[in-house]
Amino acid sequence: MTAVALLLHAAPARAAEIFVTNERDNTVSVIDSGTYAVTRTFPVGRRPRGVVFSKDGKRLFVCASDSDSVQVIDPDSGRLLTDLPSGEDPEQFALSPDGRTLFIANENNATTTVVDVDTKSVKAQIDVGIEPEGVAVSPDGRVAVTTSETTNMVHWIDVATLKAIDATPVDQRPRHAEFARDGKTLWVSSEIGGSVAVIDVATRKVARTIRFEIKGVAADRIQPVGISLTDDGRLAFVALGPSDRVAVIDTKSFQVTAYILVGRRVWHTALTPEQDRLVTTNGVSGDVTVIDVPALKAIRTVKVGRFPWGAAIRPQAGDAAGK
């Protein structure tokens, strides 16, 4: 068979599905990335925020904050499979690389709850700072972190012992934490501090602090929240809240290279598996912005529910799990 024939017989690329939590509607909207149409919307618990897929893409985990639950949902049907114990007021969470353990931030009781996904049991509740919010697990699965909004710290947890082992001070109101793919750095946004800390994982010390300045936008409206890092380690995208922009950062120079205008009150971001598109959840305008990553340009707006907050992406059924 010729090369041309092989191309003609090749299976078409499958579009990814974008799952968006709508905080005020208590729903999840599903967007097809091929057409950018909302294909379905299904109900979940009250005030859904954090959202993540299992490694195989067959289970969707949703933090239903006001229901005090982490819900496990069949993403194909939207059917509730089970509720996991989550502690009080779960905000965000992170799934360990092996897919077996959830680390959940409990805002109201200053703890991180650790849950065994398979047995549906609580393995530990770890004291952290006041108003924990962001959670991340290192790529090697050895360390988890939780940010505390009022204590202004990143709390380091040893996964083997499930003990808090250190804390790193950052700027005011840290919201989101994201490990680089190589595990060498941790990026943490500080909403009121208006900055992003790049922390050296080996020393647990802040190596760089990145600040933002947008012409015509008041400094108090530049509030960093969600962060996405490309797999190749070249770019970081930071949602800047009520400034209605996403900052693009060169991760080698730590310089801001662009600001991309999106919807109102951008919360979080997610990259497609191919890394060619970035989506943002825009709370006040009730929509999702689609950004062309190579062009660094917003190309589409998709209306979803009221106050979209979190986003997770998976390929269609049969492919590997999304990020």
Side-chain angles (χ1 to χ4, degrees), residues 7 12 39 41 56 90 109 118 129 141 174 177 187 228 257 287 310:
L7 286 172
T39 58
T41 299
D56 60 9
N109 62 1
D118 294 327
W187 293 59
S228 289
T257 60
D287 52 33

Side-chain angles (χ1 to χ4, degrees), residues 95-119:
L95 188 64
S96 61
D98 63 10
R100 297 177 179 175
T101 309
L102 273 177
F103 292 81
I104 306 164
N106 302 121
E107 187 172 47
N108 285 352
N109 62 1
T111 60
T112 296
T113 298
V114 186
V115 174
D116 185 300
V117 172
D118 294 327
T119 65

Side-chain angles (χ1 to χ4, degrees), residues 187 198 208-210 233-235 248-257:
W187 293 59
V198 182
R208 294 268 186 166
T209 299
I210 302 168
R234 293 191 309 109
L235 298 175
V248 183
I249 300 169
D250 182 312
T251 60
K252 303 304 180 187
S253 67
F254 301 102
Q255 298 299 308
V256 178
T257 60

Side-chain angles (χ1 to χ4, degrees), residues 53-74:
F53 274 103
S54 62
K55 289 187 68 177
D56 60 9
K58 295 180 179 179
R59 290 176 293 175
L60 181 72
F61 299 88
V62 176
C63 261
S65 299
D66 285 354
S67 297
D68 290 340
S69 174
V70 169
Q71 298 188 317
V72 185
I73 294 166
D74 174 1

Side-chain angles (χ1 to χ4, degrees), residues 17 38-39 70 75 80 121 205 226 238 259 286 295 309 313:
E17 288 183 312
V38 175
T39 58
V70 169
L80 176 65
S121 61
K205 295 185 182 299
V238 181
Y259 292 103
W309 197 89
I313 299 179

Side-chain angles (χ1 to χ4, degrees), residues 130 207 251 268:
I130 300 170
T251 60
H268 285 282

Side-chain angles (χ1 to χ4, degrees), residues 166-177:
D166 205 351
T168 303
V170 291
D171 285 341
Q172 191 174 358
R173 197 174 171 84
R175 292 300 298 257
H176 186 83

